[in-house]
Amino acid sequence: TDNTYYLNYNLDGSRGYPGCIYTEDYNAKDFTDPVTVVYGHNMKDGSMFASLHSFEDRDFFEQNRLIIIETPERTLTYEIFAAVSFSDDLIPYEYDFSIPDGLQRYLEDIKASDGNIREDMKVTESDRILTLSTCYPDEETRRLLIEAVLISE
């Protein structure tokens, strides 16, 4: 019932860092939504989603293309198409993913953002997108987003 709970609570229920990697309640837990946003802290010790910042380096971005999500039911493989600096707006509240235009607007905003984008990949409003979101250590109003499209399950 509290979308910020896992931001401040650990798996064992104790309060504090590092918290958990999590999705909020607007996303189905089976990754079937048009866009699934997964949040994680950028920890100074390199844990949680800190390593996502490696995707800001163009060479690393080019050499690391896949994200694999394993659930109890299946394995999902995504191909990364962008690593961008984005606003800290809550994505599912800013975009209506229940309509194709909402997803198209989101994809256009991603492509217009600063960062690494694979121009050769075609991503459309009929694709399923995985967004990994983490903070920058010194920018409270920006988030690093790693964007990937589902290629197999």
Side-chain angles (χ1 to χ4, degrees):
T1 59
D2 177 3
N3 278 330
T4 64
Y5 179 84
Y6 289 108
L7 187 64
N8 299 305
Y9 285 85
N10 300 301
L11 282 176
D12 64 4
S14 64
R15 184 172 174 78
Y17 286 116
C20 294
I21 293 173
Y22 67 98
T23 62
E24 292 184 334
D25 64 0
Y26 53 77
N27 273 135
K29 302 308 176 221
D30 62 0
F31 294 84
T32 56
D33 290 320
V35 176
T36 299
V37 183
V38 181
Y39 300 93
H41 283 299
N42 172 19
M43 300 300 291
K44 290 178 184 177
D45 68 1
S47 64
M48 302 292 282
F49 273 2
S51 64
L52 293 182
H53 286 276
S54 297
F55 284 96
E56 293 175 285
D57 176 77
R58 185 70 190 187
D59 289 336
F60 186 91
F61 175 78
E62 290 298 334
Q63 294 170 12
N64 297 277
R65 300 182 74 94
L66 299 179
I67 297 171
I68 298 171
I69 303 283
E70 293 185 11
T71 73
E73 296 79 30
R74 63 190 189 282
T75 299
L76 305 158
T77 303
Y78 294 85
E79 186 171 6
I80 298 168
F81 66 89
V84 298
S85 175
F86 206 74
S87 76
D88 67 343
D89 293 335
L90 290 172
I91 294 165
Y93 298 108
E94 294 297 318
Y95 300 91
D96 183 356
F97 295 128
S98 68
I99 58 173
D101 287 347
L103 184 52
Q104 186 59 39
R105 188 170 65 87
Y106 179 62
L107 292 171
E108 288 169 6
D109 288 350
I110 292 296
K111 289 181 181 178
S113 298
D114 291 331
N116 292 317
I117 298 175
R118 293 189 211 290
E119 301 293 340
D120 61 333
M121 285 184 65
K122 183 173 171 138
V123 181
T124 70
E125 61 274 356
S126 63
D127 287 318
R128 289 195 352 231
I129 307 298
L130 174 68
T131 299
L132 305 181
S133 176
T134 195
C135 58
Y136 288 98
D138 55 356
E139 294 183 55
E140 290 186 22
T141 62
R142 305 296 295 169
R143 297 290 178 261
L144 173 65
L145 302 184
I146 307 302
E147 299 290 340
V149 61
L150 182 68
I151 58 173
S152 71
E153 63 179 302

PDB file of all heavy atoms in Angstrom, residues 8 18 24 40 45 48 60 67 75 77-79 90 93 96 107-109 115 127 131 138 140 143 152:
ATOM      1  N   ASN A   8      12.987   2.362   1.696  1.00  0.00           N
ATOM      2  CA  ASN A   8      13.569   2.565   3.025  1.00  0.00           C
ATOM      3  C   ASN A   8      13.590   1.331   3.918  1.00  0.00           C
ATOM      4  O   ASN A   8      14.006   1.418   5.067  1.00  0.00           O
ATOM      5  CB  ASN A   8      12.793   3.670   3.744  1.00  0.00           C
ATOM      6  CG  ASN A   8      12.877   4.976   2.982  1.00  0.00           C
ATOM      7  OD1 ASN A   8      13.953   5.460   2.680  1.00  0.00           O
ATOM      8  ND2 ASN A   8      11.725   5.528   2.638  1.00  0.00           N
ATOM      9  N   PRO A  18      20.299  -0.855   2.557  1.00  0.00           N
ATOM     10  CA  PRO A  18      20.118  -0.318   1.224  1.00  0.00           C
ATOM     11  C   PRO A  18      18.682  -0.308   0.722  1.00  0.00           C
ATOM     12  O   PRO A  18      18.423   0.143  -0.380  1.00  0.00           O
ATOM     13  CB  PRO A  18      20.964  -1.245   0.361  1.00  0.00           C
ATOM     14  CG  PRO A  18      20.847  -2.573   1.022  1.00  0.00           C
ATOM     15  CD  PRO A  18      20.804  -2.246   2.497  1.00  0.00           C
ATOM     16  N   GLU A  24       6.693  -0.459  -8.152  1.00  0.00           N
ATOM     17  CA  GLU A  24       5.580   0.104  -7.380  1.00  0.00           C
ATOM     18  C   GLU A  24       4.290  -0.622  -7.739  1.00  0.00           C
ATOM     19  O   GLU A  24       4.249  -1.440  -8.658  1.00  0.00           O
ATOM     20  CB  GLU A  24       5.477   1.604  -7.634  1.00  0.00           C
ATOM     21  CG  GLU A  24       6.675   2.336  -7.050  1.00  0.00           C
ATOM     22  CD  GLU A  24       6.586   3.841  -7.193  1.00  0.00           C
ATOM     23  OE1 GLU A  24       5.908   4.332  -8.108  1.00  0.00           O
ATOM     24  OE2 GLU A  24       7.215   4.529  -6.372  1.00  0.00           O
ATOM     25  N   GLY A  40      16.015   1.084  -7.818  1.00  0.00           N
ATOM     26  CA  GLY A  40      17.042   0.630  -6.901  1.00  0.00           C
ATOM     27  C   GLY A  40      17.977   1.774  -6.556  1.00  0.00           C
ATOM     28  O   GLY A  40      18.246   2.643  -7.390  1.00  0.00           O
ATOM     29  N   ASP A  45      28.794   1.926  -2.008  1.00  0.00           N
ATOM     30  CA  ASP A  45      29.639   0.725  -1.962  1.00  0.00           C
ATOM     31  C   ASP A  45      29.541  -0.114  -3.241  1.00  0.00           C
ATOM     32  O   ASP A  45      30.100  -1.197  -3.326  1.00  0.00           O
ATOM     33  CB  ASP A  45      29.312  -0.125  -0.732  1.00  0.00           C
ATOM     34  CG  ASP A  45      27.927  -0.755  -0.790  1.00  0.00           C
ATOM     35  OD1 ASP A  45      27.181  -0.575  -1.784  1.00  0.00           O
ATOM     36  OD2 ASP A  45      27.569  -1.440   0.187  1.00  0.00           O
ATOM     37  N   MET A  48      23.368  -2.618  -5.084  1.00  0.00           N
ATOM     38  CA  MET A  48      22.057  -2.255  -5.629  1.00  0.00           C
ATOM     39  C   MET A  48      22.217  -1.887  -7.110  1.00  0.00           C
ATOM     40  O   MET A  48      22.747  -2.679  -7.851  1.00  0.00           O
ATOM     41  CB  MET A  48      21.402  -1.142  -4.825  1.00  0.00           C
ATOM     42  CG  MET A  48      21.216  -1.469  -3.356  1.00  0.00           C
ATOM     43  SD  MET A  48      20.013  -2.758  -3.041  1.00  0.00           S
ATOM     44  CE  MET A  48      18.507  -1.848  -3.231  1.00  0.00           C
ATOM     45  N   PHE A  60      31.143   0.627 -22.764  1.00  0.00           N
ATOM     46  CA  PHE A  60      30.443  -0.348 -21.909  1.00  0.00           C
ATOM     47  C   PHE A  60      29.026  -0.570 -22.431  1.00  0.00           C
ATOM     48  O   PHE A  60      28.547  -1.704 -22.527  1.00  0.00           O
ATOM     49  CB  PHE A  60      30.405   0.144 -20.465  1.00  0.00           C
ATOM     50  CG  PHE A  60      29.827  -0.859 -19.514  1.00  0.00           C
ATOM     51  CD1 PHE A  60      30.641  -1.768 -18.873  1.00  0.00           C
ATOM     52  CD2 PHE A  60      28.452  -0.894 -19.258  1.00  0.00           C
ATOM     53  CE1 PHE A  60      30.104  -2.713 -18.000  1.00  0.00           C
ATOM     54  CE2 PHE A  60      27.909  -1.822 -18.388  1.00  0.00           C
ATOM     55  CZ  PHE A  60      28.738  -2.747 -17.762  1.00  0.00           C
ATOM     56  N   ILE A  67      19.608  -7.731 -20.579  1.00  0.00           N
ATOM     57  CA  ILE A  67      19.177  -7.843 -19.188  1.00  0.00           C
ATOM     58  C   ILE A  67      18.322  -9.098 -19.112  1.00  0.00           C
ATOM     59  O   ILE A  67      17.404  -9.277 -19.928  1.00  0.00           O
ATOM     60  CB  ILE A  67      18.342  -6.626 -18.739  1.00  0.00           C
ATOM     61  CG1 ILE A  67      19.176  -5.348 -18.803  1.00  0.00           C
ATOM     62  CG2 ILE A  67      17.773  -6.844 -17.339  1.00  0.00           C
ATOM     63  CD1 ILE A  67      18.370  -4.076 -18.588  1.00  0.00           C
ATOM     64  N   THR A  75      11.800 -17.001 -17.670  1.00  0.00           N
ATOM     65  CA  THR A  75      12.959 -16.130 -17.849  1.00  0.00           C
ATOM     66  C   THR A  75      12.652 -15.148 -18.970  1.00  0.00           C
ATOM     67  O   THR A  75      12.213 -15.544 -20.055  1.00  0.00           O
ATOM     68  CB  THR A  75      14.212 -16.958 -18.196  1.00  0.00           C
ATOM     69  OG1 THR A  75      14.468 -17.851 -17.104  1.00  0.00           O
ATOM     70  CG2 THR A  75      15.413 -16.076 -18.424  1.00  0.00           C
ATOM     71  N   THR A  77      14.165 -12.044 -21.393  1.00  0.00           N
ATOM     72  CA  THR A  77      15.388 -11.450 -21.919  1.00  0.00           C
ATOM     73  C   THR A  77      15.038 -10.140 -22.609  1.00  0.00           C
ATOM     74  O   THR A  77      14.159 -10.096 -23.469  1.00  0.00           O
ATOM     75  CB  THR A  77      16.097 -12.396 -22.903  1.00  0.00           C
ATOM     76  OG1 THR A  77      16.363 -13.634 -22.236  1.00  0.00           O
ATOM     77  CG2 THR A  77      17.401 -11.797 -23.398  1.00  0.00           C
ATOM     78  N   TYR A  78      15.741  -9.094 -22.207  1.00  0.00           N
ATOM     79  CA  TYR A  78      15.539  -7.758 -22.754  1.00  0.00           C
ATOM     80  C   TYR A  78      16.824  -7.289 -23.419  1.00  0.00           C
ATOM     81  O   TYR A  78      17.921  -7.594 -22.940  1.00  0.00           O
ATOM     82  CB  TYR A  78      15.198  -6.761 -21.643  1.00  0.00           C
ATOM     83  CG  TYR A  78      13.881  -7.003 -20.954  1.00  0.00           C
ATOM     84  CD1 TYR A  78      13.784  -7.906 -19.900  1.00  0.00           C
ATOM     85  CD2 TYR A  78      12.736  -6.312 -21.332  1.00  0.00           C
ATOM     86  CE1 TYR A  78      12.589  -8.119 -19.244  1.00  0.00           C
ATOM     87  CE2 TYR A  78      11.531  -6.519 -20.686  1.00  0.00           C
ATOM     88  CZ  TYR A  78      11.460  -7.424 -19.648  1.00  0.00           C
ATOM     89  OH  TYR A  78      10.263  -7.635 -18.997  1.00  0.00           O
ATOM     90  N   GLU A  79      16.687  -6.495 -24.486  1.00  0.00           N
ATOM     91  CA  GLU A  79      17.839  -5.869 -25.124  1.00  0.00           C
ATOM     92  C   GLU A  79      17.829  -4.383 -24.806  1.00  0.00           C
ATOM     93  O   GLU A  79      16.815  -3.696 -25.020  1.00  0.00           O
ATOM     94  CB  GLU A  79      17.839  -6.092 -26.629  1.00  0.00           C
ATOM     95  CG  GLU A  79      19.105  -5.578 -27.276  1.00  0.00           C
ATOM     96  CD  GLU A  79      19.250  -5.962 -28.734  1.00  0.00           C
ATOM     97  OE1 GLU A  79      18.314  -6.540 -29.317  1.00  0.00           O
ATOM     98  OE2 GLU A  79      20.328  -5.679 -29.298  1.00  0.00           O
ATOM     99  N   LEU A  90       7.743  10.616 -11.615  1.00  0.00           N
ATOM    100  CA  LEU A  90       7.316   9.221 -11.542  1.00  0.00           C
ATOM    101  C   LEU A  90       6.711   8.844 -12.888  1.00  0.00           C
ATOM    102  O   LEU A  90       5.620   9.307 -13.246  1.00  0.00           O
ATOM    103  CB  LEU A  90       6.323   9.015 -10.400  1.00  0.00           C
ATOM    104  CG  LEU A  90       6.942   9.133  -9.017  1.00  0.00           C
ATOM    105  CD1 LEU A  90       5.868   9.110  -7.944  1.00  0.00           C
ATOM    106  CD2 LEU A  90       7.946   8.019  -8.781  1.00  0.00           C
ATOM    107  N   TYR A  93       3.049   7.976 -13.685  1.00  0.00           N
ATOM    108  CA  TYR A  93       2.094   9.051 -13.435  1.00  0.00           C
ATOM    109  C   TYR A  93       2.182  10.137 -14.496  1.00  0.00           C
ATOM    110  O   TYR A  93       1.251  10.911 -14.678  1.00  0.00           O
ATOM    111  CB  TYR A  93       2.319   9.647 -12.042  1.00  0.00           C
ATOM    112  CG  TYR A  93       2.109   8.641 -10.949  1.00  0.00           C
ATOM    113  CD1 TYR A  93       3.182   8.140 -10.227  1.00  0.00           C
ATOM    114  CD2 TYR A  93       0.835   8.154 -10.652  1.00  0.00           C
ATOM    115  CE1 TYR A  93       2.995   7.190  -9.232  1.00  0.00           C
ATOM    116  CE2 TYR A  93       0.645   7.205  -9.663  1.00  0.00           C
ATOM    117  CZ  TYR A  93       1.727   6.727  -8.959  1.00  0.00           C
ATOM    118  OH  TYR A  93       1.548   5.782  -7.986  1.00  0.00           O
ATOM    119  N   ASP A  96       0.567   7.841 -19.836  1.00  0.00           N
ATOM    120  CA  ASP A  96      -0.537   6.879 -19.806  1.00  0.00           C
ATOM    121  C   ASP A  96      -0.186   5.710 -20.713  1.00  0.00           C
ATOM    122  O   ASP A  96      -0.359   5.786 -21.934  1.00  0.00           O
ATOM    123  CB  ASP A  96      -1.836   7.548 -20.261  1.00  0.00           C
ATOM    124  CG  ASP A  96      -3.027   6.617 -20.182  1.00  0.00           C
ATOM    125  OD1 ASP A  96      -2.853   5.422 -19.842  1.00  0.00           O
ATOM    126  OD2 ASP A  96      -4.148   7.072 -20.484  1.00  0.00           O
ATOM    127  N   LEU A 107       8.665   7.026 -25.378  1.00  0.00           N
ATOM    128  CA  LEU A 107       9.805   6.640 -26.210  1.00  0.00           C
ATOM    129  C   LEU A 107      10.448   7.857 -26.873  1.00  0.00           C
ATOM    130  O   LEU A 107      11.673   7.949 -26.962  1.00  0.00           O
ATOM    131  CB  LEU A 107       9.374   5.612 -27.260  1.00  0.00           C
ATOM    132  CG  LEU A 107       8.987   4.239 -26.712  1.00  0.00           C
ATOM    133  CD1 LEU A 107       8.378   3.378 -27.815  1.00  0.00           C
ATOM    134  CD2 LEU A 107      10.170   3.550 -26.070  1.00  0.00           C
ATOM    135  N   GLU A 108       9.641   8.795 -27.308  1.00  0.00           N
ATOM    136  CA  GLU A 108      10.177  10.023 -27.909  1.00  0.00           C
ATOM    137  C   GLU A 108      10.962  10.828 -26.879  1.00  0.00           C
ATOM    138  O   GLU A 108      12.026  11.382 -27.197  1.00  0.00           O
ATOM    139  CB  GLU A 108       9.049  10.860 -28.505  1.00  0.00           C
ATOM    140  CG  GLU A 108       8.469  10.257 -29.764  1.00  0.00           C
ATOM    141  CD  GLU A 108       7.194  10.932 -30.226  1.00  0.00           C
ATOM    142  OE1 GLU A 108       6.778  11.962 -29.632  1.00  0.00           O
ATOM    143  OE2 GLU A 108       6.592  10.426 -31.194  1.00  0.00           O
ATOM    144  N   ASP A 109      10.454  10.902 -25.651  1.00  0.00           N
ATOM    145  CA  ASP A 109      11.164  11.632 -24.599  1.00  0.00           C
ATOM    146  C   ASP A 109      12.483  10.948 -24.236  1.00  0.00           C
ATOM    147  O   ASP A 109      13.479  11.616 -23.955  1.00  0.00           O
ATOM    148  CB  ASP A 109      10.285  11.792 -23.359  1.00  0.00           C
ATOM    149  CG  ASP A 109       9.160  12.797 -23.561  1.00  0.00           C
ATOM    150  OD1 ASP A 109       9.154  13.513 -24.586  1.00  0.00           O
ATOM    151  OD2 ASP A 109       8.264  12.850 -22.690  1.00  0.00           O
ATOM    152  N   GLY A 115      22.369  10.972 -23.312  1.00  0.00           N
ATOM    153  CA  GLY A 115      22.878   9.666 -22.942  1.00  0.00           C
ATOM    154  C   GLY A 115      23.185   8.820 -24.155  1.00  0.00           C
ATOM    155  O   GLY A 115      23.363   9.326 -25.266  1.00  0.00           O
ATOM    156  N   ASP A 127       5.791  -2.869 -28.230  1.00  0.00           N
ATOM    157  CA  ASP A 127       6.810  -3.606 -27.473  1.00  0.00           C
ATOM    158  C   ASP A 127       6.568  -3.495 -25.969  1.00  0.00           C
ATOM    159  O   ASP A 127       5.881  -2.595 -25.501  1.00  0.00           O
ATOM    160  CB  ASP A 127       8.209  -3.046 -27.786  1.00  0.00           C
ATOM    161  CG  ASP A 127       8.689  -3.421 -29.168  1.00  0.00           C
ATOM    162  OD1 ASP A 127       8.492  -4.576 -29.575  1.00  0.00           O
ATOM    163  OD2 ASP A 127       9.263  -2.548 -29.847  1.00  0.00           O
ATOM    164  N   THR A 131      12.305  -0.624 -17.631  1.00  0.00           N
ATOM    165  CA  THR A 131      13.044   0.577 -17.249  1.00  0.00           C
ATOM    166  C   THR A 131      13.676   0.329 -15.890  1.00  0.00           C
ATOM    167  O   THR A 131      12.970   0.038 -14.927  1.00  0.00           O
ATOM    168  CB  THR A 131      12.100   1.798 -17.159  1.00  0.00           C
ATOM    169  OG1 THR A 131      11.506   2.027 -18.439  1.00  0.00           O
ATOM    170  CG2 THR A 131      12.845   3.040 -16.719  1.00  0.00           C
ATOM    171  N   ASP A 138      24.689  13.309  -7.074  1.00  0.00           N
ATOM    172  CA  ASP A 138      24.676  14.752  -6.825  1.00  0.00           C
ATOM    173  C   ASP A 138      23.575  15.511  -7.581  1.00  0.00           C
ATOM    174  O   ASP A 138      23.644  16.716  -7.716  1.00  0.00           O
ATOM    175  CB  ASP A 138      26.043  15.351  -7.170  1.00  0.00           C
ATOM    176  CG  ASP A 138      26.474  15.022  -8.587  1.00  0.00           C
ATOM    177  OD1 ASP A 138      25.767  14.275  -9.285  1.00  0.00           O
ATOM    178  OD2 ASP A 138      27.542  15.507  -9.010  1.00  0.00           O
ATOM    179  N   GLU A 140      19.503  15.666  -7.487  1.00  0.00           N
ATOM    180  CA  GLU A 140      18.249  15.200  -6.901  1.00  0.00           C
ATOM    181  C   GLU A 140      17.085  15.185  -7.888  1.00  0.00           C
ATOM    182  O   GLU A 140      16.106  14.479  -7.676  1.00  0.00           O
ATOM    183  CB  GLU A 140      17.891  16.063  -5.703  1.00  0.00           C
ATOM    184  CG  GLU A 140      18.806  15.842  -4.525  1.00  0.00           C
ATOM    185  CD  GLU A 140      18.364  16.603  -3.297  1.00  0.00           C
ATOM    186  OE1 GLU A 140      17.170  16.959  -3.202  1.00  0.00           O
ATOM    187  OE2 GLU A 140      19.217  16.856  -2.439  1.00  0.00           O
ATOM    188  N   ARG A 143      17.332  11.207 -12.880  1.00  0.00           N
ATOM    189  CA  ARG A 143      17.493   9.775 -12.680  1.00  0.00           C
ATOM    190  C   ARG A 143      18.196   9.186 -13.899  1.00  0.00           C
ATOM    191  O   ARG A 143      17.992   9.648 -15.019  1.00  0.00           O
ATOM    192  CB  ARG A 143      16.143   9.066 -12.497  1.00  0.00           C
ATOM    193  CG  ARG A 143      15.358   9.490 -11.272  1.00  0.00           C
ATOM    194  CD  ARG A 143      16.017   9.018  -9.991  1.00  0.00           C
ATOM    195  NE  ARG A 143      15.310   9.443  -8.815  1.00  0.00           N
ATOM    196  CZ  ARG A 143      15.632  10.486  -8.073  1.00  0.00           C
ATOM    197  NH1 ARG A 143      16.653  11.245  -8.396  1.00  0.00           N
ATOM    198  NH2 ARG A 143      14.958  10.802  -6.997  1.00  0.00           N
ATOM    199  N   SER A 152      12.640 -11.953 -25.727  1.00  0.00           N
ATOM    200  CA  SER A 152      12.203 -13.344 -25.605  1.00  0.00           C
ATOM    201  C   SER A 152      11.753 -13.633 -24.189  1.00  0.00           C
ATOM    202  O   SER A 152      12.185 -13.008 -23.240  1.00  0.00           O
ATOM    203  CB  SER A 152      13.312 -14.316 -26.017  1.00  0.00           C
ATOM    204  OG  SER A 152      14.340 -14.340 -25.067  1.00  0.00           O
TER     205      SER A 152
END
